[in-house]
């Protein structure tokens, strides 16, 4: 397995530095975020990987960033999803695994999309040799761009990596794949001298109580985790972490989620002891199936709550649900809320990255 590619990074003083991660082919979110944050030629942009996969806009997003880099200062780190195509082309993935992955994601998989654009059917592993040849021939610039991405960008005060690292020394001896796909990094109890800035693991997965997509900043451990669940979560957002420019300054962030914004007309107190049902903890038992909401028991906690019926799914282990919560947002009349979904029981809404229910009137 290939070792990590570590590239030194110098950040010019006096210029704003923005860090984003896990775009997953969502070009409208990327463009919306850059517009919202006022991205300009005076800024430095660091993209922490996972430009590709999980949505059909991967190649378009990749080409957009490739073109943007010609006019702006942008640095890139390779994510595990950017490595999917390279792994397919190199044969690092066994054909049976690649076939299952390609069949599951279809056009949301970059190498499947590339093969189809080249006129190659990849419904069977027997097509893979022709697909690899056609992709190499038809997409040389995109592949060169992906292959040139480092695993780690190393600054005196920051270490930028997609998934995470176990240490700050001997980085070149680390396995690249393990730095990219480092699941549940914050739960590993690591502390660093530099600030380690990561994506990969949607931050809402760290919260068993309140669903929140805002970056997690851990000053005592020098870790910033910024994956807002863009393209993967129904309430996901794309975050831009803005690095402090001087001593005593804090990290700030700007997010884009594309949801309509409305004004709350009534106060609402937050609910006590809320539950955040998230990926990896989402098995439920349906107690009463309804047209809009179904009464369910969360198997892990034993808690009962109403879940949107169209959020229910069937998997190998039984019934599970998409990310769901019973959290009531704290709201003051006059506050602006992003509306994820309106229902007969109120709105699923967002406030400062947190998702919950609002039962009051909206205008």
């Amino acid at each position: 397995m290939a070792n990590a590619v570590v590239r030194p990074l110098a950040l010019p003083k006096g210029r704003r530095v923005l860090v984003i991660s896990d775009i997953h082919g969502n070009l409208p979110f990327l463009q919306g975020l850059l517009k919202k944050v006022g991205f300009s030629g005076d800024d430095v942009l660091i993209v922490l990987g996972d430009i590709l996969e999980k949505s059909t806009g991967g190649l378009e997003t990749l080409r957009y960033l490739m073109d943007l880099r010609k006019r702006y200062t942008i640095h890139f780190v390779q994510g595990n999803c950017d490595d999917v195509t390279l792994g397919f082309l190199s044969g690092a993935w066994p054909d049976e695994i690649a076939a299952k992955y390609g069949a599951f994601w279809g056009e949301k998989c970059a190498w499947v999309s590339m093969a189809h654009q080249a006129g190659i059917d990849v419904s069977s592993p027997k097509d893979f040799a022709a697909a690899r040849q056609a992709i190499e021939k038809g997409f040389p610039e995109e592949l060169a761009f992906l292959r040139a991405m480092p695993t780690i960008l190393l600054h005196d005060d920051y270490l930028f990596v997609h998934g995470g690292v176990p240490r700050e020394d001997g980085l070149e001896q680390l396995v690249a794949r393990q730095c990219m796909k480092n699941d549940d990094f914050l739960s590993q109890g690591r502390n660093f001298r530099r600030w380690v800035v990561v994506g990969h693991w949607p931050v809402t997965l760290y919260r068993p109580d309140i669903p929140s997509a805002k970056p997690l900043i851990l000053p005592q451990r020098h870790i910033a985790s910024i994956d807002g669940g863009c393209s993967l979560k129904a309430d996901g957002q794309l975050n831009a972490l803005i690095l402090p420019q001087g001593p005593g300054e804090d990290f700030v962030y700007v997010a884009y989620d594309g949801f309509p914004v409305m004004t709350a007309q009534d106060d609402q107190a937050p609910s006590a002891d809320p539950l955040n049902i998230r990926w990896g903890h989402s098995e439920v038992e349906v107690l009463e199936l309804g047209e809009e909401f179904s009464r369910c028991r969360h198997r892990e906690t034993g808690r009962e709550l109403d879940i949107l019926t169209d959020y229910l799914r069937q998997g190998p282990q039984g019934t599970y649900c998409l990310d769901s919560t019973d959290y009531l947002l704290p709201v003051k009349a006059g506050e602006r809320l992003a509306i994820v979904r309106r229902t007969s029981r109120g709105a699923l809404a967002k406030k400062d990255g947190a998702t919950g229910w609002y039962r009051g009137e909206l205008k």
Side-chain angles (χ1 to χ4, degrees):
M1 299 182 73
N3 285 355
V5 176
V6 182
R7 189 165 297 164
L9 176 67
L11 295 174
K13 293 187 180 299
R15 296 178 67 180
R16 189 173 60 157
V17 180
L18 315 174
V19 191
I20 63 177
S21 78
D22 297 86
I23 306 164
H24 288 297
N26 197 327
L27 183 56
F29 271 42
L30 174 60
Q31 292 172 327
L33 178 62
L34 293 179
K35 181 179 180 180
K36 185 175 180 179
V37 79
F39 178 64
S40 75
D42 295 329
D43 298 322
V44 176
L45 178 63
I46 297 173
V47 181
L48 284 188
D50 278 11
I51 299 167
L52 299 174
E53 303 298 311
K54 312 297 175 68
S55 73
T56 57
L59 289 176
E60 185 181 13
T61 304
L62 178 65
R63 290 167 179 149
Y64 177 82
L65 285 168
M66 290 170 62
D67 180 67
L68 207 64
R69 190 178 65 163
K70 298 173 183 177
R71 295 173 282 121
Y72 297 91
T73 304
I74 309 180
H75 303 279
F76 295 88
V77 164
Q78 190 175 84
N80 58 296
C81 285
D82 306 312
D83 188 50
V84 166
T85 294
L86 302 181
F88 171 74
L89 292 174
S90 69
W93 287 35
D95 280 356
E96 61 272 18
I97 300 298
K100 289 180 180 178
Y101 182 92
F104 181 82
W105 288 107
E107 286 292 327
K108 295 181 179 181
C109 169
W111 63 260
V112 170
S113 179
M114 289 176 173
H116 288 170
Q117 289 183 38
I120 305 296
D121 178 24
V122 286
S123 57
S124 168
K126 66 181 176 59
D127 305 314
F128 286 178
R132 291 183 176 107
Q133 184 177 13
I135 290 170
E136 291 282 2
K137 181 179 179 181
F139 302 89
E141 293 182 11
E142 293 87 347
L143 297 178
F145 184 88
L146 292 173
R147 286 170 172 145
M149 287 179 171
T151 316
I152 295 168
L153 290 172
L154 191 63
H155 180 268
D156 288 344
D157 300 316
Y158 296 96
L159 186 156
F160 301 98
V161 62
H162 180 69
V165 290
R167 59 179 188 263
E168 293 178 74
D169 61 330
L171 296 170
E172 292 84 357
Q173 280 73 55
L174 297 176
V175 175
R177 177 72 178 174
Q178 294 173 1
C179 297
M180 291 184 281
K181 187 171 172 50
N182 190 328
D183 294 352
D184 204 10
F185 177 59
L186 268 61
S187 299
Q188 296 168 17
R190 305 189 189 282
N191 302 287
F192 300 93
R193 180 190 68 79
R194 293 177 177 86
W195 274 94
V196 176
V197 185
V198 300
H200 179 61
W201 196 252
V203 292
T204 190
L205 299 183
Y206 292 113
R207 296 288 301 266
D209 51 359
I210 298 173
S212 177
K214 67 185 295 185
L216 273 171
I217 310 298
L218 305 179
Q220 299 302 318
R221 298 171 60 186
H222 276 194
I223 298 175
S225 185
I226 69 170
D227 179 3
C230 175
S231 293
L232 300 183
K233 307 290 183 182
D235 58 348
Q237 63 191 42
L238 188 61
N239 295 319
L241 185 71
I242 304 175
L243 304 188
Q245 290 192 334
E249 295 187 14
D250 295 326
F251 291 95
V252 297
Y253 86 103
V254 174
Y256 182 86
D257 59 22
F259 294 116
V261 176
M262 301 185 74
T263 302
Q265 302 299 302
D266 306 293
D267 291 350
Q268 176 176 277
S271 55
D273 193 26
L275 176 64
N276 176 21
I277 300 180
R278 63 234 184 267
W279 180 82
H281 306 268
S282 58
E283 292 185 11
V284 297
E285 176 188 358
V286 178
L287 303 176
E288 183 179 348
L289 187 66
E291 184 175 346
E292 185 180 20
F293 288 89
S294 293
R295 191 69 177 174
C296 298
R297 180 181 292 115
H298 184 223
R299 292 189 180 277
E300 183 176 304
T301 62
R303 296 266 297 270
E304 292 186 14
L305 71 164
D306 292 331
I307 292 174
L308 287 160
T309 299
D310 60 13
Y311 275 26
L312 297 175
R313 298 289 187 273
Q314 291 297 318
Q317 306 303 318
T319 305
Y320 69 98
C321 66
L322 304 182
D323 289 13
S324 300
T325 187
D326 57 2
Y327 178 52
L328 297 181
L329 286 171
V331 177
K332 293 291 185 183
E335 287 189 314
R336 303 279 281 169
L337 303 176
I339 308 304
V340 179
R341 178 168 177 164
R342 301 196 72 171
T343 76
S344 64
R345 302 186 188 178
L348 188 63
K350 291 178 65 180
K351 175 184 171 183
D352 192 21
T355 298
W357 292 94
Y358 177 66
R359 308 298 192 193
E361 185 180 352
L362 291 162
K363 287 186 178 180

